[in-house]
Amino acid sequence: MCRVRLAACALCISLVVSACAYHRDNTQHYLNLPVERSQELLETPFFPQDAYQCGPAALATVLNAQGVEVSPQQLQALVYLPERKGSLQAEMLAAAAHYGRLAVRIPPSMDSLLLELSSGKPVVVLQNLGVGSLPVWHYAVAIGYDLEKDKIYSRSGKDRRRADGFRLFMKTWSRSNHWAMVVVSPGTVPVSATEKDYLAAASVLERRKNHNAALLAFEAGTRRWPDSYLAWAGTGNAAFSLSRFGEAEQAYRQALRLKPDRASIMNNLALTLAERGCRQTALSVMECALNRAPDDANLAATYNEIKAFSPGPEACQQLVCGALGPAVSE
Amino acid sequence: MLKSSLMKRVMAILVSLAFFTTYSLPAYSGIVTTEQLIQEQLESVERSSLVSMLDREEVRQQLVDRGVDPDYAKQRIAALSDEQINEIQSNIDGLPAGSGVVGILIAVLLVLIILDIIGVTNIFSFINPAR
């Protein structure tokens, strides 16, 4: 009898000890990251949410942190879906562009979350506070963490400063597949962002015809990813829309150096050249493009449009069709 | 009665006309947008379905049906990418819609409080899981 009790006691103790050890393990892994041991973005504003309004409240929090003065009530019209009593992720990502900011999705991991917080960016996270079959979807804004104390701090619902252990936070966050986004001003690239997610965010500015902001954003993209032909093409598109044709030409040429077979970028370069008075060169670029994609209706239309331009001075840089490597010659 | 249904029809035509004139792409040539370039790059990997103006109109209607102000619905649609339009169109009622913890039924509340205490869920900040 006594032995059984002893064994039970031993079992209890070992369980408690292992639980403690596990507890410490929660943050052990992150000590190797290039981040501060602890961080809390105390300046982050706080908007306690009204009924169901965590989407607008979370968005207002990160937009205000980026210098946009907007209230959750104003954002309701942009991100709240009355019948669903909530906000969709797609609209959370799309709405920041209304205010000339980029909402960038970050990679779904605690590493990215900590990197962003450590670099001073509050992070919107989507959590399922309930369980899979009984979901309680909720947007909160992570504003800090403490690796020693095993805490994540957030502005959440009606709590100005909520503190959760890493394990519990991960549990509710993992149910949204670790969905998270940060909001930045044009010219800044979030530290953890991937090229794809960043360019998608910059494209929203282009879509909304905020070309000044788009130009800043794509240019910043070329500095972070100099080999990204899409970042260069985006820079070209923004410059073109602002009628800055010289810059547009250089950006498109760089994009084609990196990706010589893109007929659609040739299309854009040709339109730029035509605007610069290089009709003949533009036509030769279009011939190159049409060789690659003979059935493309847009290319054919561009070709005809450029034909209608009047001939210019024609001291223009040629494009060597389909050349790999440097695609430019005199 | 007849009059009002006729009015409705006329309104519907007017509204859709206004929509298409605002959104339809120009028929002439033009710059290929960065979004289209990104799409092109993706398509070399997997062919995704094209989103037409009709798809956008459908999603706009879905938003209006779910209580969004029609003027704002237009703006909101304009900000979404083709990929996002696809996503919402096929599953607007199934996608997560973050709403927070206000307004849960009492019965559900009790279950959740228990789950909170066990540490499975984390809805109530005043409950610290027993561990």
Side-chain angles (χ1 to χ4, degrees):
Chain A
M1 197 60 204
C2 196
R3 264 194 189 175
V4 175
R5 241 183 244 173
L6 204 67
C9 269
L11 186 68
C12 277
I13 289 167
S14 67
L15 274 177
V16 169
V17 169
S18 66
C20 286
Y22 191 79
H23 191 74
R24 223 177 296 130
D25 279 352
N26 289 346
T27 60
Q28 202 70 44
H29 160 76
Y30 307 111
L31 292 172
N32 301 323
L33 281 176
V35 296
E36 308 285 335
R37 285 282 167 115
S38 68
Q39 166 78 297
E40 188 170 352
L41 306 171
L42 297 165
E43 304 293 305
T44 315
F46 173 54
F47 299 94
Q49 79 168 80
D50 297 331
Y52 309 117
Q53 304 288 336
C54 68
L59 198 57
T61 305
V62 286
L63 279 171
N64 277 271
Q66 284 301 314
V68 182
E69 282 181 26
V70 63
S71 70
Q73 289 72 30
Q74 288 169 288
L75 289 168
Q76 252 184 55
L78 292 178
V79 297
Y80 186 62
L81 207 49
E83 197 108 317
R84 289 290 316 272
K85 294 191 168 57
S87 303
L88 302 176
Q89 291 148 285
E91 297 211 276
M92 292 290 283
L93 284 166
H98 282 265
Y99 301 92
R101 300 297 189 276
L102 292 90
V104 188
R105 213 182 143 175
I106 60 168
S109 70
M110 182 56 87
D111 290 15
S112 326
L113 182 84
L114 298 181
L115 284 165
E116 293 301 340
L117 288 171
S118 187
S119 79
K121 306 273 179 314
V123 183
V124 177
V125 292
L126 177 64
Q127 302 170 303
N128 178 356
L129 301 177
V131 290
S133 50
L134 203 65
V136 179
W137 295 109
H138 176 62
Y139 292 105
V141 180
I143 55 154
Y145 59 87
D146 192 323
L147 294 179
E148 307 289 338
K149 293 184 187 154
D150 181 24
K151 288 283 181 260
I152 299 266
Y153 306 116
S154 57
R155 305 258 187 268
S156 176
K158 292 194 184 297
D159 297 336
R160 184 183 173 85
R161 181 180 189 265
R162 181 165 177 149
D164 290 310
F166 269 62
R167 217 163 81 89
L168 191 58
F169 184 89
M170 276 302 259
K171 202 185 275 180
T172 58
W173 187 31
S174 67
R175 293 178 185 133
S176 75
N177 297 320
H178 305 100
W179 189 90
M181 68 172 219
V182 293
V183 167
V184 292
S185 298
T188 304
V189 182
V191 282
S192 74
T194 64
E195 180 196 336
K196 178 178 175 285
D197 289 322
Y198 178 77
L199 294 178
S203 306
V204 186
L205 293 170
E206 180 183 311
R207 168 175 272 287
R208 295 207 53 80
K209 305 201 190 311
N210 190 341
H211 299 301
N212 282 306
L215 184 60
L216 284 173
F218 283 120
E219 278 175 345
T222 64
R223 286 192 293 274
R224 168 69 80 84
W225 298 283
D227 293 335
S228 162
Y229 78 92
L230 287 171
W232 287 103
T235 304
N237 284 351
F240 183 94
S241 303
L242 293 166
S243 301
R244 285 153 70 164
F245 300 118
E247 286 161 69
E249 180 185 341
Q250 289 315 312
Y252 288 137
R253 284 187 188 277
Q254 184 59 29
L256 284 167
R257 264 179 222 125
L258 296 163
K259 193 83 176 168
D261 65 346
R262 276 297 124 129
S264 16
I265 298 176
M266 292 177 204
N267 173 83
N268 295 2
L269 173 62
L271 285 169
T272 311
L273 288 168
E275 292 286 353
R276 299 201 77 194
C278 299
R279 176 176 175 273
Q280 214 45 49
T281 314
L283 287 175
S284 76
V285 169
M286 282 317 294
E287 275 154 23
C288 179
L290 281 161
N291 273 339
R292 301 209 163 262
D295 300 328
D296 191 317
N298 186 43
L299 295 182
T302 300
Y303 187 81
N304 289 329
E305 189 190 327
I306 292 174
K307 264 189 170 166
F309 273 73
S310 49
E314 295 295 335
C316 310
Q317 198 182 17
Q318 296 294 317
L319 180 82
V320 176
C321 183
L324 288 165
V328 187
S329 72
E330 289 306 316
Chain B
M1 193 63 203
L2 187 84
K3 213 175 182 182
S4 80
S5 85
L6 185 73
M7 275 305 283
K8 262 185 198 166
R9 237 178 255 176
V10 171
M11 275 308 284
I13 291 167
L14 281 178
V15 166
S16 49
L17 258 178
F19 182 82
F20 281 107
T21 45
T22 326
Y23 285 99
S24 54
L25 290 169
Y28 51 86
S29 65
I31 287 286
V32 179
T33 67
T34 312
E35 204 185 313
Q36 289 166 332
L37 290 170
I38 294 173
Q39 198 58 33
E40 247 178 42
Q41 186 196 37
L42 295 177
E43 274 168 20
S44 51
V45 187
E46 57 173 311
R47 183 99 206 148
S48 66
S49 56
L50 283 168
V51 168
S52 68
M53 286 303 127
L54 281 172
D55 294 319
R56 283 189 179 269
E57 167 59 14
E58 193 188 317
V59 174
R60 192 192 63 84
Q61 194 57 49
Q62 283 177 324
L63 292 188
V64 173
D65 290 347
R66 281 158 191 78
V68 174
D69 180 284
D71 284 343
Y72 279 105
K74 225 163 150 180
Q75 273 195 49
R76 283 162 69 156
I77 291 301
L80 295 171
S81 71
D82 284 1
E83 200 184 340
Q84 291 170 326
I85 290 284
N86 259 332
E87 185 191 10
I88 295 175
Q89 189 182 21
S90 56
N91 195 20
I92 188 165
D93 293 321
L95 290 171
S99 53
V101 292
V102 194
I104 307 171
L105 292 172
I106 298 291
V108 177
L109 207 69
L110 282 174
V111 176
L112 290 176
I113 287 175
I114 293 163
L115 289 174
D116 243 40
I117 293 169
I118 307 168
V120 177
T121 60
N122 184 21
I123 298 170
F124 311 104
S125 50
F126 56 87
I127 298 175
N128 291 313
R131 189 173 52 74

